[in-house]
Amino acid sequence: MQPRPGTRLLLLLVLPLAALSDTRGSEELEPMGPPRDPVVVIVGAGISGIVAAEKLHRRGFLNIKVLEATGRTGGRIRTQSFAKGLVEIGAQWIHGPSPANPVFQLASQFSLLGPDALLEENQKMNIEGHPSSIPVVYSSSGKKISPEVVTNITALYYTWLNKAQNLTDCDPVASVGSFIRQQVVQSSQEWDQDMVEINMALLRGLLNVECCVSGTHSMNYVGLCPYGEYTMLPGLDCTFPRGYESLVNHIKAPLPDGTVVLNKAVKSIDWNGSFHGGNSHVYPVKVQCEDGDSFVADHVIVTVPLGFLKKRSLDFLSPPLPPGKIQAIKNLGFGTNNKILLEFEKPFWDPNTTLIQTVWEGDSPLTEPKKDLKQNWMRKLCIFVVLEPPEQLGHVLCGFIAGEESEFMETLTDEEILSSMTDFFRTFTGNPELPPPISILRSQWHSQPYTGGSYSYVAVGSSGSDVDNLAEPLPTHEEALKPLQVLFAGEATERNFYSTTHGALISGRREAQRLIDRYPKLGAAANKAKL
Ligand SMILES: Cc1cc2nc3c(=O)[nH]c(=O)nc-3n(C[C@H](O)[C@H](O)[C@H](O)COP(=O)(O)OP(=O)(O)OC[C@H]3O[C@@H](n4cnc5c(N)ncnc54)[C@H](O)[C@@H]3O)c2cc1C
Ligand SMILES: *[C@@H]1O[C@H](CO)[C@@H](O)[C@H](O)[C@H]1NC(C)=O
Ligand SMILES: *[C@@H]1O[C@H](CO)[C@@H](O)[C@H](O)[C@H]1NC(C)=O
Ligand SMILES: *[C@@H]1O[C@H](CO)[C@@H](O)[C@H](O)[C@H]1NC(C)=O
Ligand SMILES: *[C@@H]1O[C@H](CO)[C@@H](O)[C@H](O)[C@H]1NC(C)=O
């Protein structure tokens, strides 16, 4: 992306003088070394890191580097070619596309959305996390389940889930899974005997879908008490016709060339020190890279996924993270949700089908899935979205699978998965001749060394204050008068919107603002430059 030359020239002309006078003014915040422009290093070029860089740049910060381990920006926002068009490997929807959602705001501003998403009635629709349409449900005996049965049990299930979200008084060791089981046991006493088996199978399917939504192996891992802190925004979820990555590309466009450095994995962050730059200045932080490069800085914003922090919580920082923060990293959950994209020559589903659910007869929400992953991993596959528009993309199903089964799937070859999926759909359609899919693409988020899974959730034993703790900058507030050194952003640091792109975006803006507040005159200078 090209930077906008006009704005950049203006900033270059106006800022140096203004910025110089600013650092003199805030000398008490910069006890180490002579006055100078603050140097900010951002670790990770996902949406949180890119948004933080763009905001700091816009507000007059001149020395910003974004170090990204992989060869691309976007992180868990990743669009790729497949079939005859584009598909999403990571984030797919704007959850709650309405004016309060900053991803929706930016996407509309950049004209990245289709006409339906911009309709006011779409933005007002409150689906409270339910799927927006009732799926067509196939059972493992090769039959479709009557829509009436599906509608009834689905409605019941979402009442329970809403109840779980509404609970204020709850047992700290209870899980969402245990709560739902209780409701099932109570409710099933009123079911007709001949409905029990099918209802139970449907409910197991719905729990498997919930595992995908929460990015967890089992809803027994998700804490009941903190579950309700996740906030749902109104709006009927929408997608990006030209790919989710178009959003990241628009946000990063104004950044000067060379701001983002790709293939630059950070190995560790030394802080609370006195490090010499290539000049006479001394800096409190030094970022060490895997390839031997290092970057000194006044401030570092760490946006690496919680999955990476979990692996490196003890040694990513030196001095190490304070014990409370290490505990918060341990307490919070980070699991796997993957996609399996399948292209079919001809659809086996009706033209107006948007969602396909698959349920295994004999399964139940009261028992956990079978352990032998090689034999049973496909049983965790539960929901397939029919991707639109077929005229442009081809006939593509996007299946979702979470947990250990999903992590096992990552170890299989495309051919092995394709062959399993052919058997799978022959079983569910009851058509032993059903042609195999013509192509396949699946995500492998757990195996990505710099991600380690899909997104965070509030595990049993965790609470919203763990999320807040993760977001606290260093030095900690006991030493609050010291300059900020290491700040934390990313999806997992946003108490009400974790696991989403808007949560990640809000967190990036939050940490940029934390720095902007420390350099009031820099911000004022940037505002002057804009006028
Ligand atoms: C399969 C899937 C489906 C999803 N669906 C949706 C959806 O429909 N809607 C929605 O709102 N959200 C969805 N999400 C979640 C959303 O994608 C994330 O919450 C969001 O993109 C996270 O942004 P981030 O900036 O916090 O992290 P990331 O995008 O992960 O960015 C962090 C970056 O840090 C880099 N990094 C890590 N370690 C280092 C290191 N040591 N040195 C340098 N760089 C490093 C990583 O490579 C990465 O690029 C989905 C996620 C997945 C995986
Ligand atoms: C679905 O629920 C309605 C209303 O509660 C009920 O009248 C109907 O019999 C139910 N249908 C089935 C198939 O369970
Ligand atoms: C949950 O709370 C919301 C808002 O207070 C309310 O509208 C909804 O009916 C409640 N749902 C249940 C199942 O209690
Ligand atoms: C930071 O350095 C100061 C002075 O050397 C020391 O007193 C303090 O304990 C250090 N803080 C941490 C977190 O290591
Ligand atoms: C799909 O369309 C057919 C024919 O137009 C109709 O009979 C059927 O009810 C529709 N199904 C759904 C799920 O809307």
Side-chain angles (χ1 to χ4, degrees):
M1 288 294 132
Q2 289 301 305
R4 280 187 259 124
T7 350
R8 215 170 128 211
L9 195 63
L10 201 59
L11 283 173
L12 282 176
L13 286 175
V14 181
L15 269 176
L17 273 178
L20 201 66
S21 68
D22 170 74
T23 28
R24 276 201 206 108
S26 57
E27 214 158 349
E28 70 283 4
L29 295 174
E30 298 294 324
M32 294 183 235
R36 55 185 158 75
D37 285 328
V39 176
V40 183
V41 169
I42 298 170
V43 184
I47 190 167
S48 62
I50 291 292
V51 157
E54 187 278 327
K55 180 162 180 168
L56 289 170
H57 168 70
R58 186 159 32 89
R59 300 295 289 270
F61 285 67
L62 295 171
N63 296 307
I64 308 166
K65 281 267 180 275
V66 184
L67 307 181
E68 167 55 46
T70 68
R72 51 178 291 281
T73 57
R76 283 170 275 171
I77 295 179
R78 173 168 201 165
T79 307
Q80 220 165 293
S81 297
F82 181 68
K84 300 187 185 74
L86 295 173
V87 294
E88 306 295 352
I89 304 299
Q92 184 147 351
W93 293 279
I94 302 180
H95 291 311
S98 50
N101 185 327
V103 166
F104 175 74
Q105 275 174 14
L106 280 183
S108 336
Q109 202 177 307
F110 295 137
S111 308
L112 299 177
L113 299 176
D116 284 357
L118 298 170
L119 295 175
E120 200 150 322
E121 59 189 271
N122 253 61
Q123 297 171 37
K124 292 212 169 115
M125 205 158 320
N126 211 333
I127 53 162
E128 301 254 318
H130 308 192
S132 50
S133 57
I134 291 290
V136 176
V137 183
Y138 291 81
S139 87
S140 53
S141 60
K143 292 182 296 226
K144 283 186 208 168
I145 299 177
S146 112
E148 200 192 348
V149 173
V150 175
T151 306
N152 276 9
I153 208 74
T154 304
L156 198 57
Y157 169 79
Y158 281 108
T159 330
W160 300 336
L161 204 65
N162 276 2
K163 232 190 201 171
Q165 280 151 349
N166 279 3
L167 285 183
T168 43
D169 185 24
C170 55
D171 178 350
V173 298
S175 68
V176 175
S178 66
F179 177 83
I180 298 282
R181 267 200 311 278
Q182 260 174 22
Q183 310 298 310
V184 173
V185 168
Q186 264 173 29
S187 168
S188 61
Q189 285 157 6
E190 290 157 23
W191 299 345
D192 286 347
Q193 200 48 45
D194 58 344
M195 293 306 293
V196 172
E197 187 178 338
I198 192 63
N199 282 352
M200 288 294 187
L202 279 162
L203 285 165
R204 166 45 64 193
L206 287 163
L207 272 184
N208 288 352
V209 173
E210 218 56 52
C211 289
C212 295
V213 173
S214 283
T216 183
H217 175 64
S218 163
M219 290 311 285
N220 297 345
Y221 295 2
V222 180
L224 183 58
C225 301
Y227 188 57
E229 288 200 19
Y230 177 85
T231 305
M232 275 175 268
L233 297 170
L236 190 61
D237 291 5
C238 64
T239 57
F240 288 76
R242 279 171 285 149
Y244 226 120
E245 242 183 277
S246 60
L247 174 70
V248 179
N249 291 337
H250 271 83
I251 299 172
K252 77 175 181 188
L255 293 175
D257 290 343
T259 304
V260 180
V261 188
L262 299 177
N263 300 307
K264 200 53 90 180
V266 171
K267 188 175 162 200
S268 59
I269 298 168
D270 297 334
W271 62 288
N272 200 34
S274 306
F275 302 103
H276 291 272
N279 45 32
S280 58
H281 300 315
V282 175
Y283 299 80
V285 188
K286 187 169 184 175
V287 177
Q288 309 275 3
C289 297
E290 298 280 1
D291 64 5
D293 265 7
S294 64
F295 296 79
V296 291
D298 295 292
H299 314 283
V300 176
I301 306 180
V302 176
T303 77
V304 303
L306 178 61
F308 179 85
L309 278 182
K310 275 182 179 283
K311 289 186 279 190
R312 298 288 313 278
S313 69
L314 298 180
D315 66 350
F316 196 51
L317 264 67
S318 168
L321 289 165
K325 234 178 159 74
I326 293 177
Q327 193 61 46
I329 291 170
K330 246 191 217 146
N331 288 353
L332 292 167
F334 193 83
T336 305
N337 174 29
N338 273 310
K339 298 178 173 182
I340 301 180
L341 293 143
L342 300 165
E343 182 191 8
F344 289 84
E345 180 87 58
K346 283 200 210 100
F348 62 78
W349 53 93
D350 292 332
N352 51 2
T353 304
T354 56
L355 263 185
I356 293 171
Q357 203 182 324
T358 48
V359 304
W360 295 86
E361 285 174 20
D363 270 7
S364 156
L366 305 178
T367 54
E368 281 306 288
K370 296 188 170 73
K371 271 292 169 197
D372 178 358
L373 296 180
K374 199 166 161 36
Q375 281 303 310
N376 297 301
W377 69 268
M378 285 119 52
R379 295 177 81 98
K380 197 70 169 281
L381 265 164
C382 46
I383 191 107
F384 297 83
V385 175
V386 181
L387 296 188
E388 308 269 351
E391 306 78 39
Q392 282 165 37
L393 181 62
H395 304 290
V396 179
L397 295 183
C398 175
F400 289 85
I401 181 166
E404 288 164 20
E405 292 81 357
S406 189
E407 289 160 17
F408 178 78
M409 178 278 290
E410 293 189 20
T411 67
L412 300 174
T413 64
D414 281 359
E415 291 69 33
E416 286 169 319
I417 299 172
L418 193 88
S419 143
S420 296
M421 293 313 302
T422 304
D423 294 344
F424 181 94
F425 282 114
R426 284 178 179 170
T427 302
F428 280 95
T429 57
N431 173 8
E433 313 277 281
L434 187 80
I438 53 176
S439 62
I440 177 170
L441 177 67
R442 45 53 196 269
S443 62
Q444 291 169 293
W445 287 107
H446 182 71
S447 324
Q448 303 303 309
Y450 297 103
T451 314
S454 297
Y455 33 83
S456 62
Y457 62 92
V458 281
V460 172
S462 74
S463 73
S465 58
D466 286 315
V467 181
D468 289 344
N469 194 328
L470 195 58
E472 276 291 310
L474 299 174
T476 51
H477 38 261
E478 296 97 73
E479 307 162 277
L481 289 177
K482 291 195 181 164
L484 295 171
Q485 294 180 34
V486 188
L487 297 82
F488 296 85
E491 157 269 306
T493 68
E494 196 43 51
R495 185 164 177 162
N496 303 122
F497 299 116
Y498 57 84
S499 81
T500 65
T501 57
H502 53 282
L505 188 156
I506 290 168
S507 76
R509 285 188 177 162
R510 180 192 68 215
E511 295 311 312
Q513 189 62 47
R514 209 191 286 275
L515 288 180
I516 290 163
D517 289 344
R518 294 287 176 112
Y519 298 93
K521 289 182 185 165
L522 205 53
N527 280 336
K528 227 180 289 164
K530 256 195 280 179
L531 298 173

